[in-house]
Amino acid sequence: MPSIKNINDFKKAKNEKKTISVITCYDYAFARIIEGTETDVILVGDSVGMVFAGYSSTLPVTVDQMIYHSEIVRRGAPSKFIIADLPFMSYQVSVEEALTNSGRIMKESGANSVKLEGGREFRGVVEALVRASIPVCGHLGLTPQSIHKIGGYSVQGRDGDQRKKIFEDAKILEEAGVFALVLEMVPEQLACEISGALSIPTIGIGAGRYCDGQVLVINDMLGMNEEFNPKFLKKYASLHDAVKNAISEYDREVKDGRFPGENNVFK
Ligand code: KIV
């Protein structure tokens, strides 16, 4: 049985030391497959911009695209708790815009919650969303929407000042009301300390073994991109090769007249 059915189950899972499994997914076909598994939560991430749409960063992703993908995932996975990302510039300008955009995502997609990147600078936004009954998941460490400020997709929190800031931001986000916190690409020891200091669960990606949950992007964990091999990733399948081989075989069979065969024709 998945341990997350509603918002209250996040703290419950943490208290009962049940590790939370999260998968980022963007489409109906994969959502349907996830629906049939024990996976606890689906994140419709703005990584859709890079993984699905081929942009070089997550910055171009729009609120309408997040609604489109989240709604599709909801149709494929009606029973799962869904977190939908707030895309770049949908919550940074003002509390009002954050409320309007989050409200649209919740109303139009059927997601259960939203996620935003950043710490103390978004305290007021998190508080306003939570006040408006919109559950918020935090995201610290490597925050891809800040790629031009950070300068690269690298481990965050290795030096003392950064480490202190991430730790403090985690506490501030918890106080502001987030129900869970994604920690992306931070040293294992820092993630462990943050997880120990918070009453809400941490969900790690490249954050080591001691987070309260883990998240991977479905395309990555299924090995769909043979060029994407970060240290934190484990590939549970080699779909790139399997799909490429299948397509090549189809191509050969069409061209040499073996497809369609006797079994594929109507009489
Ligand atoms: O967009 C995303 O998929 C994410 C995860 C990698 C945490 O934010």
Side-chain angles (χ1 to χ4, degrees), residues 3-4 10-11 13-22 40 179-181 183 191-192 194-204 207-215:
S3 53
I4 306 291
F10 283 87
K11 263 197 182 163
K14 172 137 184 161
N15 292 338
E16 293 174 0
K17 299 195 183 333
K18 286 187 181 156
T19 308
I20 300 167
S21 60
V22 184
D40 295 309
F179 66 87
L181 177 63
L183 292 174
C192 180
I194 292 172
S195 304
L198 301 185
S199 65
I200 52 158
T202 55
I203 311 291
R209 292 162 288 183
Y210 307 112
C211 291
D212 304 299
Q214 296 290 332
V215 56

Side-chain angles (χ1 to χ4, degrees), residues 190-231:
L190 174 58
C192 180
E193 285 167 22
I194 292 172
S195 304
L198 301 185
S199 65
I200 52 158
T202 55
I203 311 291
I205 176 162
R209 292 162 288 183
Y210 307 112
C211 291
D212 304 299
Q214 296 290 332
V215 56
L216 284 178
V217 172
I218 191 152
N219 302 54
D220 300 342
M221 50 104 73
L222 294 179
M224 293 180 73
N225 181 351
E226 85 284 22
E227 283 158 22
F228 188 64
N229 296 297
K231 186 173 183 190

Side-chain angles (χ1 to χ4, degrees), residues 239-250:
L239 284 204
H240 174 271
D241 294 348
V243 171
K244 191 172 174 194
N245 290 341
I247 291 170
S248 299
E249 192 178 341
Y250 162 76

Side-chain angles (χ1 to χ4, degrees), residues 51-217:
V51 177
F52 185 88
Y55 298 132
S56 61
S57 77
T58 59
L59 271 58
V61 176
T62 65
V63 170
D64 284 335
Q65 288 167 346
M66 289 311 305
I67 291 171
Y68 175 75
H69 285 280
S70 305
E71 196 242 334
I72 284 172
V73 168
R74 169 53 78 215
R75 251 197 311 286
S79 81
K80 296 293 181 190
F81 190 97
I82 293 179
I83 305 172
D85 257 340
L86 290 175
F88 182 56
M89 281 300 138
S90 67
Y91 59 95
Q92 288 90 340
V93 176
S94 67
V95 169
E96 286 70 24
E97 283 194 21
L99 280 165
T100 304
N101 290 321
S102 305
R104 276 198 65 208
I105 290 175
M106 299 285 289
K107 282 163 83 93
E108 296 175 38
S109 77
N112 303 84
S113 62
V114 297
K115 173 166 83 58
L116 58 77
E117 297 179 7
R120 63 198 74 193
E121 57 279 30
F122 298 110
R123 178 182 199 133
V125 171
V126 172
E127 286 169 346
L129 292 174
V130 172
R131 244 192 332 269
S133 304
I134 298 175
V136 185
C137 178
H139 184 154
L140 293 172
L142 175 65
T143 48
Q145 291 178 17
S146 307
I147 191 62
H148 295 303
K149 185 171 138 194
I150 298 170
Y153 295 99
S154 53
V155 176
Q156 302 295 301
R158 277 200 167 126
D159 78 63
D161 286 351
Q162 241 189 23
R163 200 187 157 79
K164 183 165 173 281
K165 181 169 187 306
I166 294 172
F167 188 90
E168 286 173 2
D169 279 348
K171 295 288 286 178
I172 289 167
L173 287 175
E174 176 176 43
E175 277 164 29
V178 300
F179 66 87
L181 177 63
V182 168
L183 292 174
E184 180 165 356
M185 284 184 69
V186 297
E188 184 175 62
Q189 179 60 27
L190 174 58
C192 180
E193 285 167 22
I194 292 172
S195 304
L198 301 185
S199 65
I200 52 158
T202 55
I203 311 291
I205 176 162
R209 292 162 288 183
Y210 307 112
C211 291
D212 304 299
Q214 296 290 332
V215 56
L216 284 178
V217 172

